[in-house]
Amino acid sequence: LLTSALYFFISKIKDQSASWRTKIQIKNQIYFSLFIFLSLLTFYGSIFLVAGFLLYFLYKKQYKNLFICLFVVFVYFLTISPLLSQQLINSKVALANVTNWTLVLGKANIKNLLLIPIKFSIGRISFYPKWLYWGIAGAWTGFVLYQILNIKYQTDKSKIKNIYLFVYLFIFPLFLGFIISFWTPLLQYFRFIYLIPIMAILLSLNKNTLMYRYIVIIGFVVFSLTYLLLPQFHREDWKSLVKNLQKDRPVYMIKASSDPVKYYNNKLIIKELRISNYELKEKQITIIPYTADIYGFDYKKSLTKSGYQQKEVKNFRELSFEIW
């Protein structure tokens, strides 16, 4: 939706011949407003790119476009306000009750900021040793950014203007998101994934040699296939974990995070992990420690105090369960 809005944003600011300018501009305005509204309804983080559009209209003194876009944003907030107010209350409760919830949301720090261009360049992969990962990721990201910003050989003035515009649209949402994250943590790379098409456009605009273009294409294909073909980079393997649980035994975990287990087997008995020591009666219990660290609950200390010992750990992709 944001990419579609971007398309009509560019169409709006391009010069049109006088004979058909009005009709085209009205059509572009309608589509632009529609996709802005739908993107905001879909994802709150859309506001950062929309804010970039608004600031551009203000800078260029395109007040008509500015007020129309502001009106769309106003209608959006008016429409979504009952849900938004409730979600703000819920988020405050989560931040107050869940000890390390800010770690999930993405605090404003240099690491989270640097991860955005790195993940945009190499995708959702990570490996050990970390020095090798950071070396490869850093070198490739640096190469991609150099290709984006290398305009010294560009002679077409209109293309140079476009490059500056897209660089602004790429950087401003990140800058705004970083500032907002000091108050409301949200600085995680997947929340800015709508900027990848802008990055791709920037790569296409620069006057690079054919060899560099092939290197960029091959690099993106290699990293994409690495992610797609190697399962260790995929999301948590809940299906395999649940399949290996004993069906006649209850499972102890943070109940608020138990939906994946219920999805794959709704007959399993799930008990709250955060209980008093004296309430544990079983000789042998199964623990799924998922999100225990986020909730700030030291279950190992609690179980050890109750006389339990860890006997076995079974690992799955980014998940595990333990027998005590």
Side-chain angles (χ1 to χ4, degrees):
L1 292 170
L2 281 170
T3 304
S4 300
L6 176 68
Y7 172 80
F8 289 105
F9 169 77
I10 299 303
S11 300
K12 276 160 58 64
I13 64 176
K14 284 167 68 175
D15 291 330
Q16 305 288 347
S17 62
S19 60
W20 51 290
R21 179 189 302 171
T22 305
K23 186 177 179 181
I24 292 294
Q25 285 186 345
I26 291 173
K27 185 190 78 169
N28 290 339
Q29 185 68 67
I30 291 171
Y31 283 128
F32 175 71
S33 301
L34 174 65
F35 285 117
I36 287 294
F37 184 73
L38 292 175
S39 66
L40 289 168
L41 283 178
T42 306
F43 175 54
Y44 293 138
S46 303
I47 194 66
F48 298 124
L49 185 57
V50 174
F53 295 151
L54 288 168
L55 188 62
Y56 177 85
F57 292 144
L58 181 64
Y59 172 72
K60 288 293 186 177
K61 298 180 180 178
Q62 297 179 8
Y63 298 120
K64 180 181 176 182
N65 288 332
L66 175 65
F67 289 128
I68 291 173
C69 195
L70 281 172
F71 177 74
V72 171
V73 174
F74 171 74
V75 172
Y76 156 72
F77 277 113
L78 198 63
T79 306
I80 206 75
S81 56
L83 176 63
L84 180 60
S85 60
Q86 184 59 51
Q87 290 184 331
L88 286 172
I89 293 169
N90 293 345
S91 65
K92 286 180 181 178
V93 171
L95 285 168
N97 295 340
V98 184
T99 307
N100 299 316
W101 188 239
T102 54
L103 298 178
V104 178
L105 299 177
K107 297 174 74 174
N109 55 45
I110 298 299
K111 179 186 176 183
N112 284 335
L113 188 62
L114 289 176
L115 274 175
I116 293 172
I118 288 174
K119 293 299 183 181
F120 281 12
S121 301
I122 71 166
R124 194 179 181 271
I125 65 174
S126 183
F127 51 84
Y128 291 94
K130 279 299 177 183
W131 63 266
L132 182 61
Y133 167 75
W134 285 109
I136 293 174
W140 175 250
T141 303
F143 174 77
V144 171
L145 292 177
Y146 175 76
Q147 298 307 308
I148 289 173
L149 300 174
N150 181 26
I151 61 172
K152 59 184 177 180
Y153 299 115
Q154 184 62 260
T155 56
D156 189 332
K157 290 185 179 180
S158 63
K159 277 196 174 183
I160 292 175
K161 286 184 179 179
N162 285 336
I163 289 170
Y164 286 143
L165 173 60
F166 282 111
V167 167
Y168 156 72
L169 290 174
F170 185 77
I171 292 176
F172 180 77
L174 294 176
F175 171 76
L176 188 58
F178 181 73
I179 298 300
I180 296 297
S181 291
F182 282 104
W183 290 274
T184 302
L186 49 77
L187 200 65
Q188 290 187 318
Y189 62 89
F190 59 82
R191 291 197 174 98
F192 297 90
I193 200 168
Y194 55 81
L195 297 177
I196 290 179
I198 297 177
M199 183 181 77
I201 291 169
L202 280 166
L203 285 168
S204 73
L205 283 175
N206 277 292
K207 195 174 182 179
N208 299 319
T209 63
L210 197 59
M211 180 187 72
Y212 283 123
R213 288 177 178 270
Y214 278 126
I215 291 173
V216 169
I217 292 170
I218 291 169
F220 277 117
V221 169
V222 167
F223 283 119
S224 296
L225 290 177
T226 300
Y227 172 77
L228 288 170
L229 300 178
L230 299 181
Q232 65 261 35
F233 298 128
H234 299 170
R235 293 186 64 120
E236 301 99 335
D237 187 7
W238 285 103
K239 187 175 183 179
S240 297
L241 181 142
V242 174
K243 188 178 180 181
N244 282 271
L245 292 171
Q246 291 191 18
K247 307 299 184 287
D248 57 342
R249 245 183 230 163
V251 175
Y252 287 86
M253 66 183 301
I254 303 294
K255 262 196 164 183
S257 305
S258 63
D259 283 349
V261 177
K262 295 175 185 174
Y263 176 81
Y264 285 108
N265 189 345
N266 57 11
K267 294 181 180 178
L268 278 173
I269 299 171
I270 299 172
K271 295 187 176 181
E272 179 57 55
L273 181 60
R274 296 170 294 172
I275 59 175
S276 303
N277 298 337
Y278 64 83
E279 291 184 45
L280 290 170
K281 304 296 183 184
E282 298 96 337
K283 288 185 177 180
Q284 181 173 299
I285 60 173
T286 302
I287 303 288
I288 299 178
Y290 186 70
T291 70
D293 54 340
I294 296 172
Y295 280 81
F297 179 67
D298 190 348
Y299 69 96
K300 290 186 177 181
K301 182 179 179 181
S302 178
L303 289 173
T304 303
K305 276 187 178 180
S306 299
Y308 285 93
Q309 292 181 336
Q310 190 183 89
K311 293 295 184 183
E312 187 180 0
V313 179
K314 290 192 176 182
N315 292 303
F316 303 87
R317 189 168 59 242
E318 296 189 32
L319 295 169
S320 67
F321 71 76
E322 304 169 0
I323 306 298
W324 287 70

